[in-house]
Amino acid sequence: MKFNDLLKTSAKNLLRNKGRTLLTIIAIFIGAFTIYLTMGINTGINNYLDQQITAAGDNSLLAVYKMDGSNNIIPASTIQEYDPEKSSAEANVITPADMEVIESIEHIDTVKPISFLVADYIQGSSTTKYQLNAMASGDIDLELEAGRQVNNEVDGFEVILDQDYVEILGFKDAKEALEKEVTIGVSSHATGEQETVTATIVGVRHFSFIQAGMTIFNQALSQKVLEIYEVGLPENLKNQSFVVQAYLEENLSSEAIDTIKESLQENGFQGMTVEDEINMFRMVIDAITGVLTLFGAISLLAASFGIINTLYMSVQDRTREIGLMKALGMSRSKVFLTFSFEALLIGFFGAFSGIVAAFSLGNIINDYASSTFLEALTGFQLIGFSWSNTLTVMGVILLIVFLAGTLPANRAGKLDPIQALRYE
């Protein structure tokens, strides 16, 4: 028998027991559907995180934190010696001396402090004032809905507005907000006296995992806000920073960046690139999708036992037929292939239908999500499909069903034709 004849024979044999075959296909369908949809979610989210990294630029910047005191960056198991000269807050502050140590590390060009700014409120065209979370520009390019990045070289006060502020500040959309002025209220930490600063909106940002929820000030505006906040403070409490930006030499390899991180750690600091920060989100997503994939794998395991049962019963039902075929000259290998093809056909139809169903549902979910709860995340496709995922799922399932089918197929191939013809 030729290959096509074996395939046709296998297909006809499956149709003899439509109900049994259909139930086995459904079990594989569930596994394929679950795994493919889960892999799509993982791919979609990771693609978006990759976009965030690409938009922010390369890994030529390191955010450096001090590993001391009550800072969460320090391992919980590390016990620090009490220093009466330092408060727990001061232990986390990066001092000018610390910045000199960081800057002395090989391949680090310059170090600049990043200030988390304390502002009382922001006010737009309406009379209502709103609380504000803001920070100084860290020379990271943000993905913008409209406008441009802030200019840190000018004396004018510029701000990139978080998208959530556009409508509540009285602007119709992001484009209308551009070049409009907002009033920012800032109080002295020591005296409580409040001053206002007027700044120009030069951009409106999309949601991003990088500096999430923050409105960004240019350096001139940041310095002005700090001056107002520090009025009346002792000199030792001014110009404090809990994180600094380390600017690295250009075109460093990943190995060189790892060496810099190790040197920082030896000196009591921790350095993180944008990719490092986003990878923390990636680890959580991978863990969640891994659990969901496990459920699909369990379904496939159950389906593999279903295939073994289906083919064993088929061998038993067709014992005399197998004996007749072998008596007429069909070789053991071709009998084996006939039953193996039956297993592969069950796996193929189950996997194919599961993938098609997951793909169709995924597109419906993407369309719904992009117009509702993910509308603010421009460019975020919740479920991303790829040929690599498709081929992986299909290949793994076909391998599983082939292995599951080898036991009954091998039994069929070993049947003695004389004994099989006598079987009742």
Side-chain angles (χ1 to χ4, degrees):
M1 294 180 72
K2 297 181 180 179
F3 176 84
N4 289 340
D5 295 328
L6 289 173
L7 196 60
K8 289 177 181 178
T9 301
S10 299
K12 289 178 181 178
N13 291 333
L14 288 178
L15 293 176
R16 291 183 180 182
N17 296 287
K18 298 184 182 67
R20 195 165 59 199
T21 301
L22 181 61
L23 290 174
T24 309
I25 289 175
I26 289 174
I28 295 174
F29 166 87
I30 294 171
F33 176 85
T34 304
I35 292 176
Y36 192 66
L37 197 63
T38 301
M39 291 178 69
I41 293 172
N42 186 280
T43 299
I45 295 176
N46 280 306
N47 284 345
Y48 182 69
L49 294 179
D50 289 339
Q51 290 176 19
Q52 298 282 299
I53 294 172
T54 303
D58 57 17
N59 285 337
S60 61
L61 298 175
L62 275 178
V64 181
Y65 306 84
K66 196 168 187 178
M67 298 172 64
D68 199 6
S70 59
N71 196 317
N72 289 329
I73 291 200
I74 193 167
S77 60
T78 305
I79 300 175
Q80 299 293 307
E81 184 178 348
Y82 172 68
D83 187 348
E85 300 298 323
K86 291 184 178 181
S87 68
S88 59
E90 289 173 337
N92 296 324
V93 173
I94 297 180
T95 64
D98 291 329
M99 292 176 62
E100 291 179 6
V101 172
I102 296 170
E103 201 165 27
S104 68
I105 293 174
E106 188 178 5
H107 301 306
I108 293 181
D109 281 340
T110 57
V111 177
K112 293 181 182 179
I114 299 178
S115 302
F116 289 88
L117 307 170
V118 181
D120 297 338
Y121 67 83
I122 186 170
Q123 182 180 0
S125 58
S126 66
T127 57
T128 309
K129 301 173 182 177
Y130 297 93
Q131 293 181 347
L132 179 66
N133 294 319
M135 68 180 297
S137 170
D139 290 336
I140 293 176
D141 289 339
L142 300 170
E143 195 172 355
L144 302 180
E145 185 175 345
R148 60 172 174 82
Q149 306 294 330
V150 294
N151 189 340
N152 289 321
E153 306 300 325
V154 298
D155 295 329
F157 300 150
E158 296 182 351
V159 60
I160 293 178
L161 205 61
D162 185 79
Q163 60 179 358
D164 290 339
Y165 285 94
V166 173
E167 290 188 12
I168 64 174
L169 291 180
F171 307 115
K172 183 175 67 175
D173 53 33
K175 290 184 178 179
E176 184 184 282
L178 297 179
E179 303 305 322
K180 299 295 193 302
E181 292 186 341
V182 289
T183 301
I184 299 167
V186 186
S187 295
S188 165
H189 183 66
T191 66
E193 187 174 335
Q194 190 177 77
E195 294 185 36
T196 59
V197 181
T198 301
T200 301
I201 302 171
V202 298
V204 176
R205 62 180 301 187
H206 285 306
F207 172 84
S208 172
F209 289 105
I210 303 168
Q211 300 172 353
M214 290 286 182
T215 291
I216 307 301
F217 294 173
N218 72 339
Q219 292 299 324
L221 178 57
S222 301
Q223 189 60 39
K224 180 63 178 177
V225 170
L226 278 175
E227 288 176 3
I228 298 172
Y229 179 78
E230 293 177 346
V231 169
L233 285 177
E235 289 300 318
N236 66 321
L237 295 180
K238 292 183 178 180
N239 298 315
Q240 293 187 342
S241 178
F242 295 93
V243 57
V244 297
Q245 195 84 58
Y247 294 76
L248 310 182
E249 294 176 0
E250 295 182 359
N251 301 320
L252 289 179
S253 65
S254 57
E255 290 78 9
I257 294 176
D258 289 339
T259 301
I260 294 171
K261 292 177 183 177
E262 291 173 4
S263 299
L264 286 168
Q265 194 164 7
E266 291 171 0
N267 287 278
F269 305 97
Q270 179 160 332
M272 297 181 69
T273 62
V274 171
E275 185 171 0
D276 292 332
E277 296 177 9
I278 287 183
N279 278 343
M280 288 189 282
F281 293 99
R282 200 190 302 273
M283 289 173 62
V284 174
I285 297 303
D286 288 346
I288 294 172
T289 54
V291 172
L292 295 175
T293 302
L294 180 61
F295 286 110
I298 293 172
S299 176
L300 287 180
L301 179 62
S304 65
F305 284 106
I307 289 173
I308 294 173
N309 179 64
T310 298
L311 294 184
Y312 261 131
M313 293 180 69
S314 180
V315 171
Q316 186 174 353
D317 293 343
R318 292 155 52 198
T319 300
R320 297 190 66 186
E321 179 185 333
I322 295 169
L324 180 60
M325 288 190 295
K326 296 191 73 174
L328 292 173
M330 179 178 264
S331 66
R332 174 179 170 179
S333 61
K334 288 186 177 179
V335 173
F336 176 88
L337 284 175
T338 300
F339 282 89
S340 294
F341 284 159
E342 290 183 30
L344 289 172
L345 285 172
I346 292 173
F348 174 79
F349 288 120
F352 181 77
S353 57
I355 289 172
V356 170
F359 182 82
S360 302
L361 180 62
N363 285 327
I364 293 172
I365 292 174
N366 281 336
D367 291 340
Y368 175 75
S370 61
S371 61
T372 53
F373 61 92
L374 293 181
E375 186 177 7
L377 305 185
T378 304
F380 184 17
Q381 190 176 44
L382 179 61
I383 304 175
F385 299 106
S386 65
W387 279 109
S388 61
N389 285 353
T390 304
L391 295 176
T392 298
V393 172
M394 184 68 75
V396 168
I397 290 177
L398 290 180
L399 177 62
I400 290 173
V401 298
F402 174 77
L403 294 176
T406 54
L407 291 174
N410 193 48
R411 181 184 177 186
K414 287 182 176 180
L415 282 177
D416 181 83
I418 297 176
Q419 295 297 326
L421 287 171
R422 291 177 179 174
Y423 180 81
E424 294 295 336

